[in-house]
Amino acid sequence: MIDQYRDVIAKVDTYKRYGKVIRVVGLMIESEGPTANIGEVCNIKTSANTDHALLAEVVGFRNEKIILMPYTEVTEVGPGCLVEATGKPLTVKVGRGLVGKVLNSLGKPLNDTEELPKGLANFMTEQTPPNPLERPPIRTPLQVGVKAIDSLLTMGEGQRVGLFAGSGVGKSTLLGMIARNSSAEINVIALIGERGREVREFIENDLGPEGLKKSIVVVATSDQPALMRIKGAYTATAISEYFRDLGYKVNLMMDSVTRVAMAQREIGLAVGEPPTTKGYTPSVFSILPKLLERTGTNANGTITGFYTVLVDGDDMNEPIADAVRGILDGHFILDRKLAERGQFPAINVLKSISRVMNVIADEEHKEQSQTLRKLLSTYEENQELITIGAYKKGTNHEIDQAISFQPYILEFLKQGIHEKRTFDETIQMMKNLLHGGVS
């Protein structure tokens, strides 16, 4: 044991490295020294209060000067302020004691009067994705508790999907339903770039006490610096990875990945990256796969990812939506027209897909799902003729069947916010619908 302690002592760096602030421009702080690497956290001793340190991260270099970005607003920083290198990237405290807590991007309670429980472990927010050869295949269905998903878009434990929608179509409500009704053991919910008003509304109304009991919420509101918004996504993902490594089935819900991309665009432009597609910098399309690939399965447990994607003007082909859709294992389209007709959740099942459903669903389930999709598709293709009265009953047997089933299918796909259905109940309801015309 003494030899082990000697080895540790021999490796300890007893020097503290300092630099000094020479310039502040917008979001960026330029420092002469200390020796630090990209991603390392530094403490900036403010001029007004030497006991108070401003946390900042090294994001780049320019002419041998260090470029830092603070986690909080730049206040009380002036020329000559000391910059101390910590020698390590951002770490957060993790453990079972976090369940039921609401945290900020640095892993600290959002309520200033609250303290973290004892016995938590340190965990780095920057992690590498699991080795592809060490990822077990997805073979087990996940109960989401939403009929439209469990029946026609069946998800597996460790799958990653995107919820694509414009504003005000019901993304947050759907996430709350999944958090309460899912068969996962722990939910980690990242609210990135949300309005301050919506945070408490989501926790109290959409998530509710039932959902919060098995959830950890990480919040970075829209008024916070870009780096805090990005770190919110990384902290939530790191907490999910910690529980996955312990063997838990975890749901990671991020609302929204689009605002993470916007925050990275701010940082990229500030450090001098050239804007490319729609003003997004190359680093945006570099960090997205690294962040999203961290979830999924590993040898111990699973992280099932739900990432909401905001689409400007309901354009599903805008750059971030297109990039995310290519990375994930499926996409659910929330349709504004369905929401306007009062169908909630407003999932357009014909435009949505789960890429693992064919592997995890049994043959009877797949056959019933395909039959239901065909009935919906047939009705949609002929909807104009049916609406204006140009179609005569008896002309086509498939269209007649689609018309007769349509009201029952729509009623089946609707679900109240607090209506809870198990996976087996949903499959039985779909079977009853197809065989008897009632749900």
Side-chain angles (χ1 to χ4, degrees), residues 7 18 38 50 64 101 114 163 167 177 212 245 251 327 363 377 394-395:
D7 290 341
Y18 292 94
I38 292 285
T50 54
E64 299 183 3
K101 303 286 186 187
E114 194 176 352
L163 305 178
S167 55
M177 290 175 67
L212 188 59
D245 292 344
N251 277 348
I327 298 166
E363 290 303 319
S377 177
T395 307

Side-chain angles (χ1 to χ4, degrees), residues 144-146 149 163 168-181 189 191 194 198 201-203 205-208 253 255 308 334 343-347 415-419:
V144 174
V146 178
I149 297 174
L163 305 178
V169 189
K171 297 184 300 298
S172 298
T173 304
L174 180 58
L175 286 181
M177 290 175 67
I178 295 170
R180 291 192 309 272
N181 302 339
I189 304 169
L191 303 179
E194 288 288 324
E198 292 179 333
E201 285 184 5
F202 175 82
I203 293 168
N205 301 335
D206 297 326
L207 190 59
M253 304 176 183
D255 185 15
T308 69
L334 272 63
Q343 181 177 322
F344 291 99
I347 301 171
Q415 186 167 342
I417 295 173
H418 298 288
E419 180 186 348

Side-chain angles (χ1 to χ4, degrees), residues 312-428:
D312 294 332
D314 295 328
D315 175 17
M316 298 298 167
N317 295 314
E318 62 97 27
I320 299 303
D322 204 39
V324 172
R325 190 167 49 238
I327 298 166
L328 299 178
D329 309 317
H331 53 271
F332 301 162
I333 307 296
L334 272 63
D335 195 326
R336 193 176 298 279
K337 290 181 180 177
L338 295 180
E340 288 168 352
R341 290 206 298 260
Q343 181 177 322
F344 291 99
I347 301 171
N348 188 325
V349 294
L350 294 178
K351 293 181 179 178
S352 306
I353 189 169
S354 168
R355 292 179 181 168
V356 303
M357 181 176 175
N358 285 336
V359 179
I360 60 176
D362 59 45
E363 290 303 319
E364 185 183 18
H365 180 178
K366 284 190 284 188
E367 187 178 324
Q368 291 167 356
S369 170
Q370 287 165 2
T371 303
L372 207 60
R373 277 178 170 271
K374 187 177 180 183
L375 289 168
L376 277 170
S377 177
T378 302
Y379 185 89
E380 188 170 293
E381 286 171 4
N382 298 277
Q383 187 172 9
E384 287 187 13
L385 292 175
I386 297 165
T387 305
I388 63 175
Y391 175 76
K392 292 183 180 179
K393 188 178 180 181
T395 307
N396 184 299
H397 173 68
E398 287 186 0
I399 299 176
D400 289 343
Q401 195 177 31
I403 293 170
S404 65
F405 271 95
Q406 185 68 8
Y408 301 116
I409 295 173
L410 292 182
E411 191 60 34
F412 169 71
L413 293 177
K414 284 182 183 178
Q415 186 167 342
I417 295 173
H418 298 288
E419 180 186 348
K420 188 172 182 178
R421 297 288 181 181
T422 66
F423 186 83
D424 292 335
E425 284 175 346
T426 297
I427 303 306
Q428 187 60 47

Side-chain angles (χ1 to χ4, degrees), residues 59 63 85 105 143 164-165 176 209 214 218 241 263 286 292 333 371 390 395 422 427:
V59 295
N63 298 328
S105 298
Q143 174 189 300
F164 292 73
K214 64 170 188 175
V218 180
E241 289 169 318
S286 170
L292 302 181
I333 307 296
T371 303
T395 307
T422 66
I427 303 306

Side-chain angles (χ1 to χ4, degrees), residues 281-295:
T281 56
S283 62
V284 173
F285 302 99
S286 170
I287 70 155
L288 281 177
K290 290 177 185 175
L291 178 64
L292 302 181
E293 284 290 344
R294 285 170 60 178
T295 54

Side-chain angles (χ1 to χ4, degrees), residues 292-306:
L292 302 181
E293 284 290 344
R294 285 170 60 178
T295 54
T297 61
N298 75 357
N300 302 314
T302 61
I303 301 174
T304 306
F306 298 86

